[in-house]
Amino acid sequence: MQEIEVAGEINEQGQLVLIQPLSVAKHTKVLVRITVLEDDFDPETDSKEQILADLKESLRQADAGQTRPISELWDGIDV
């Protein structure tokens, strides 16, 4: 079994429309799970690849000593 994650939208007719075409053999049976996303979700900036790139950049900054004291972690955040 192969798992693929893609973004899509539900159109006015209630049909699922994928933003990108799938690269699988035609006439392949699939199981579809739907996760309804928040309105501010952007598949371009919230993709797994972008999250991984951001994490790598954070680790690079930590290795370079570009860190901030933990005491400043919540400064400016009102909970």
Side-chain angles (χ1 to χ4, degrees), residues 1 3-4 6 16 30-36:
M1 182 178 345
E3 186 171 311
I4 301 170
V6 296
L16 173 62
V30 298
L31 171 66
V32 178
R33 292 184 182 172
I34 305 294
T35 302
V36 179

Side-chain angles (χ1 to χ4, degrees), residues 2 4 22-30:
Q2 178 184 10
I4 301 170
L22 297 176
S23 58
V24 296
K26 292 180 173 55
H27 306 291
T28 300
K29 293 180 181 181
V30 298

Side-chain angles (χ1 to χ4, degrees), residues 36-69:
V36 179
L37 304 172
E38 301 296 325
D39 288 338
D40 60 350
F41 177 80
D42 182 356
E44 294 298 319
T45 59
D46 296 338
S47 68
K48 288 181 181 179
E49 292 81 11
Q50 184 60 49
I51 293 169
L52 181 58
D54 292 344
L55 178 59
K56 286 180 180 179
E57 174 60 16
S58 296
L59 291 172
R60 185 200 64 75
Q61 290 174 344
D63 284 343
Q66 299 171 333
T67 61
R68 297 171 70 179

